Amino acid sequence: MSQDKKAESSPPSLLGADMETILAQWQHERPDIDPRPMAVCGNIWRAAEILRQGVLENLKDYGFDITGFDVILTLRRQGRGKALSPSALSKEMMLSTSAMTNRLDRLEKRSLIQRIPDPNDRRGLKIVLTKEGFNLADEMVASHVKTEKKMLSLLTDAEQETIRILLNKIGTSPDN
Protein backbone atom coordinates (compact mmCIF):
# COMPACT_ATOMS: atom_id res chain seq x y z
CA MET A 1 0.00 0.00 0.00
CA SER A 2 1.45 3.37 -0.94
CA GLN A 3 2.03 6.11 1.66
CA ASP A 4 -0.85 8.15 0.15
CA LYS A 5 -3.31 5.24 0.36
CA LYS A 6 -2.23 4.48 3.94
CA ALA A 7 -2.76 8.12 4.95
CA GLU A 8 -6.20 8.16 3.34
CA SER A 9 -7.33 5.04 5.19
CA SER A 10 -6.08 6.17 8.62
CA PRO A 11 -8.53 8.10 10.76
CA PRO A 12 -7.48 11.75 11.01
CA SER A 13 -6.11 12.89 14.35
CA LEU A 14 -7.98 15.69 16.05
CA LEU A 15 -4.57 17.28 16.53
CA GLY A 16 -3.34 16.95 12.96
CA ALA A 17 -0.47 15.02 11.48
CA ASP A 18 2.31 13.48 13.54
CA MET A 19 4.91 16.16 14.29
CA GLU A 20 7.82 13.94 13.21
CA THR A 21 6.11 13.47 9.83
CA ILE A 22 5.62 17.21 9.49
CA LEU A 23 9.29 17.82 10.32
CA ALA A 24 10.45 15.24 7.77
CA GLN A 25 8.20 16.76 5.11
CA TRP A 26 9.56 20.26 5.69
CA GLN A 27 13.14 19.00 5.79
CA HIS A 28 12.53 17.31 2.43
CA GLU A 29 10.71 20.24 0.83
CA ARG A 30 12.81 23.04 2.31
CA PRO A 31 16.23 21.70 3.33
CA ASP A 32 17.41 25.32 3.52
CA ILE A 33 15.38 26.01 6.69
CA ASP A 34 15.38 24.39 10.12
CA PRO A 35 11.74 23.47 10.88
CA ARG A 36 12.37 22.58 14.54
CA PRO A 37 10.90 25.87 15.85
CA MET A 38 7.67 24.96 14.02
CA ALA A 39 7.65 21.59 15.81
CA VAL A 40 8.26 23.15 19.22
CA CYS A 41 5.48 25.70 18.75
CA GLY A 42 3.19 23.07 17.22
CA ASN A 43 3.71 20.73 20.16
CA ILE A 44 3.06 23.54 22.63
CA TRP A 45 -0.16 24.52 20.82
CA ARG A 46 -1.33 20.91 20.66
CA ALA A 47 -0.58 20.30 24.33
CA ALA A 48 -2.29 23.58 25.24
CA GLU A 49 -5.42 22.54 23.34
CA ILE A 50 -5.53 19.17 25.09
CA LEU A 51 -5.12 20.84 28.47
CA ARG A 52 -7.69 23.54 27.62
CA GLN A 53 -10.24 20.91 26.62
CA GLY A 54 -9.64 19.00 29.87
CA VAL A 55 -10.12 22.14 31.94
CA LEU A 56 -13.28 23.09 30.02
CA GLU A 57 -14.69 19.61 30.58
CA ASN A 58 -14.08 19.98 34.31
CA LEU A 59 -15.71 23.43 34.36
CA LYS A 60 -18.91 22.19 32.68
CA ASP A 61 -20.19 20.85 35.98
CA TYR A 62 -19.90 24.33 37.47
CA GLY A 63 -21.43 26.23 34.56
CA PHE A 64 -18.29 28.28 33.96
CA ASP A 65 -16.19 29.22 30.99
CA ILE A 66 -12.46 29.81 31.36
CA THR A 67 -12.81 33.56 31.96
CA GLY A 68 -15.49 33.29 34.66
CA PHE A 69 -13.42 30.60 36.32
CA ASP A 70 -10.33 32.81 36.15
CA VAL A 71 -12.21 35.72 37.78
CA ILE A 72 -13.34 33.51 40.67
CA LEU A 73 -9.87 32.02 41.24
CA THR A 74 -8.11 35.37 40.89
CA LEU A 75 -10.34 36.76 43.63
CA ARG A 76 -9.95 33.60 45.73
CA ARG A 77 -6.18 33.68 45.73
CA GLN A 78 -6.29 37.19 47.23
CA GLY A 79 -7.61 35.66 50.48
CA ARG A 80 -10.92 35.62 52.34
CA GLY A 81 -12.58 39.02 52.35
CA LYS A 82 -9.91 40.61 50.16
CA ALA A 83 -11.12 42.70 47.25
CA LEU A 84 -9.79 43.99 43.96
CA SER A 85 -10.97 46.87 41.84
CA PRO A 86 -12.41 45.87 38.47
CA SER A 87 -9.41 47.48 36.74
CA ALA A 88 -6.91 45.59 38.94
CA LEU A 89 -8.79 42.38 38.24
CA SER A 90 -8.75 43.14 34.49
CA LYS A 91 -5.03 43.83 34.59
CA GLU A 92 -4.26 40.58 36.44
CA MET A 93 -6.28 38.62 33.90
CA MET A 94 -5.25 40.58 30.77
CA LEU A 95 -8.91 41.23 29.99
CA SER A 96 -10.49 44.47 28.80
CA THR A 97 -12.51 46.39 31.37
CA SER A 98 -15.66 46.11 29.22
CA ALA A 99 -15.29 42.32 29.06
CA MET A 100 -14.66 42.32 32.82
CA THR A 101 -17.90 44.22 33.49
CA ASN A 102 -19.85 41.59 31.58
CA ARG A 103 -18.19 38.76 33.57
CA LEU A 104 -18.78 40.51 36.87
CA ASP A 105 -22.45 41.05 36.04
CA ARG A 106 -22.88 37.31 35.42
CA LEU A 107 -21.07 36.34 38.61
CA GLU A 108 -23.06 38.86 40.63
CA LYS A 109 -26.33 37.42 39.29
CA ARG A 110 -25.17 34.03 40.58
CA SER A 111 -24.43 35.64 44.00
CA LEU A 112 -20.76 34.64 43.76
CA ILE A 113 -19.29 38.14 43.94
CA GLN A 114 -20.31 41.43 45.45
CA ARG A 115 -19.44 44.94 44.39
CA ILE A 116 -18.59 47.04 47.42
CA PRO A 117 -17.60 50.70 47.74
CA ASP A 118 -13.87 51.37 47.67
CA PRO A 119 -13.01 52.90 51.05
CA ASN A 120 -10.18 54.89 49.44
CA ASP A 121 -12.15 56.22 46.47
CA ARG A 122 -15.75 57.44 46.82
CA ARG A 123 -16.39 56.80 43.12
CA GLY A 124 -14.67 53.43 43.00
CA LEU A 125 -15.79 49.88 43.61
CA LYS A 126 -14.06 46.75 44.78
CA ILE A 127 -14.99 43.19 43.91
CA VAL A 128 -15.09 40.55 46.63
CA LEU A 129 -16.21 36.94 46.70
CA THR A 130 -19.36 36.23 48.65
CA LYS A 131 -19.28 33.39 51.15
CA GLU A 132 -20.92 31.20 48.48
CA GLY A 133 -18.36 32.35 45.90
CA PHE A 134 -15.44 31.68 48.25
CA ASN A 135 -16.69 28.18 49.06
CA LEU A 136 -17.31 27.42 45.38
CA ALA A 137 -13.83 28.70 44.50
CA ASP A 138 -12.30 26.34 47.07
CA GLU A 139 -14.23 23.41 45.62
CA MET A 140 -13.37 24.40 42.05
CA VAL A 141 -9.66 24.89 42.66
CA ALA A 142 -9.38 21.44 44.26
CA SER A 143 -11.18 19.86 41.29
CA HIS A 144 -9.12 21.93 38.84
CA VAL A 145 -5.79 20.87 40.35
CA LYS A 146 -6.93 17.23 40.39
CA THR A 147 -7.84 17.49 36.69
CA GLU A 148 -4.53 19.11 35.80
CA LYS A 149 -2.59 16.55 37.83
CA LYS A 150 -4.32 13.75 35.95
CA MET A 151 -3.58 15.37 32.59
CA LEU A 152 0.10 15.72 33.50
CA SER A 153 0.41 12.24 35.00
CA LEU A 154 2.66 11.02 32.18
CA LEU A 155 5.32 13.49 33.34
CA THR A 156 7.51 13.18 36.41
CA ASP A 157 7.60 16.03 38.91
CA ALA A 158 11.05 16.96 37.55
CA GLU A 159 9.74 17.00 33.96
CA GLN A 160 6.80 19.17 34.97
CA GLU A 161 9.17 21.62 36.69
CA THR A 162 11.44 21.71 33.63
CA ILE A 163 8.50 22.47 31.33
CA ARG A 164 7.23 25.15 33.74
CA ILE A 165 10.65 26.84 33.81
CA LEU A 166 11.13 26.67 30.03
CA LEU A 167 7.64 27.99 29.21
CA ASN A 168 8.08 30.74 31.79
CA LYS A 169 11.31 31.70 30.05
CA ILE A 170 9.39 32.17 26.79
CA GLY A 171 6.43 33.86 28.49
CA THR A 172 8.50 36.42 30.39
CA SER A 173 10.99 37.27 27.65
CA PRO A 174 11.09 41.01 26.96
CA ASP A 175 11.39 40.11 23.27
CA ASN A 176 7.89 38.59 23.19
Side-chain angles (χ1 to χ4, degrees), residues 18-122:
D18 173 70
M19 197 55 70
E20 296 307 315
T21 301
I22 293 171
L23 274 175
Q25 289 169 330
W26 278 118
Q27 287 168 341
H28 178 265
E29 292 298 318
R30 289 292 309 267
D32 59 312
I33 64 171
D34 177 5
R36 288 179 296 179
M38 290 171 66
V40 171
C41 291
N43 283 332
I44 290 170
W45 292 327
R46 288 175 176 190
E49 182 59 19
I50 289 167
L51 297 172
R52 190 180 78 76
Q53 290 299 324
V55 168
L56 285 172
E57 185 64 30
N58 185 52
L59 293 179
K60 266 199 248 179
D61 294 338
Y62 298 101
F64 277 92
D65 61 10
I66 294 277
T67 309
F69 173 69
D70 198 15
V71 170
I72 292 291
L73 290 193
T74 299
L75 288 168
R76 171 59 187 93
R77 73 174 189 260
Q78 307 307 310
R80 187 180 295 277
K82 304 286 185 184
L84 288 174
S85 69
S87 60
L89 195 53
S90 294
K91 186 176 178 182
E92 278 210 31
M93 295 176 52
M94 296 182 295
L95 195 63
S96 72
T97 52
S98 59
M100 180 59 67
T101 300
N102 184 15
R103 298 295 176 193
L104 295 176
D105 289 345
R106 289 188 217 166
L107 294 171
E108 192 172 39
K109 283 179 186 168
R110 290 179 64 178
S111 300
L112 299 175
I113 61 138
Q114 183 179 9
R115 289 174 166 108
I116 58 173
D118 183 340
N120 300 317
D121 180 356
R122 290 186 337 188

